[in-house]
Amino acid sequence: MFLPCGYAVGKTLKAAFQVNLCSSKAGIYLIKKLPVGSGSSIPVKLVSVKAIEGIFCYNLGMEDCLFCKIIKEEIPSEQILETSNYVAFKDIHPKAPVHVLIVPKRHVEKPEELRPEEISDMLNGSEEIAQILGVKDSGYRLLFNVGKHAGQEVDHVHMHLIGGTPSKGMY
């Protein structure tokens, strides 16, 4: 199949791209190259390409991501809140009585790759989530584990909201 702009399956893209969901069930994304300097660069690898209604759509290899599957509702979760930027659901291995993961819908691996509106929505939404779960007044933690040494187990950035019990210090 002819790929526009010379992109090939298996090639890692390193320029700035606008990525739009084309088919949520298939994990297929539409990629549009952005002008130089108009966006951040996040390397993505093309896994497959498919023409849907005449538009070339690319599978970015995120079909194996646990959180992407939860976001696409391929895996069940106990969802607390959803916005256009994130989904918040209960952690299946909670470290406290209240342990929620706030996960951006766009697949990124590190907090610095989040767009300002995504991080703002996640932080502002955490107050509503804390209110829903009854820990707003007693207190809660917000944290990111970044990288394997910090305890990040899924390579899809996510923020933890933890509460419901007094904190025992920083660690």
Side-chain angles (χ1 to χ4, degrees), residues 18-83:
Q18 174 183 332
V19 180
N20 297 314
L21 190 61
C22 194
S23 170
S24 62
K25 292 298 179 193
I28 305 294
Y29 293 76
L30 172 66
I31 299 175
K32 176 183 174 188
K33 188 168 184 177
L34 299 175
V36 174
S38 64
S40 61
S41 175
I42 300 172
V44 295
K45 190 169 186 176
L46 296 179
V47 174
S48 63
V49 63
K50 180 188 278 189
I52 299 176
E53 296 179 6
I55 299 171
F56 283 95
C57 295
Y58 303 85
N59 184 323
L60 301 180
M62 294 173 280
E63 69 277 356
D64 291 330
C65 173
L66 174 66
F67 290 163
C68 288
K69 288 180 177 184
I70 290 171
I71 291 164
K72 293 185 286 185
E73 298 180 349
E74 294 173 0
I75 295 176
S77 69
E78 194 171 338
Q79 188 171 310
I80 305 301
L81 188 65
E82 180 176 5
T83 71

Side-chain angles (χ1 to χ4, degrees), residues 98-133:
V98 172
H99 190 164
V100 174
L101 303 179
I102 304 170
V103 182
K105 289 183 175 180
R106 187 172 64 93
H107 181 93
V108 294
E109 294 183 6
K110 298 177 184 171
E112 61 267 25
E113 296 171 344
L114 288 167
R115 295 179 182 132
E117 63 273 13
E118 291 168 324
I119 190 72
S120 175
D121 195 25
M122 291 169 69
L123 288 170
N124 290 330
S126 67
E127 180 182 14
E128 183 177 357
I129 295 164
Q131 179 70 38
I132 291 167
L133 297 173

Side-chain angles (χ1 to χ4, degrees), residues 138-154:
S138 61
Y140 56 95
R141 290 179 169 203
L142 298 174
L143 66 101
F144 289 94
N145 293 326
V146 183
K148 299 293 181 211
H149 285 186
Q152 184 177 4
E153 296 175 2
V154 178

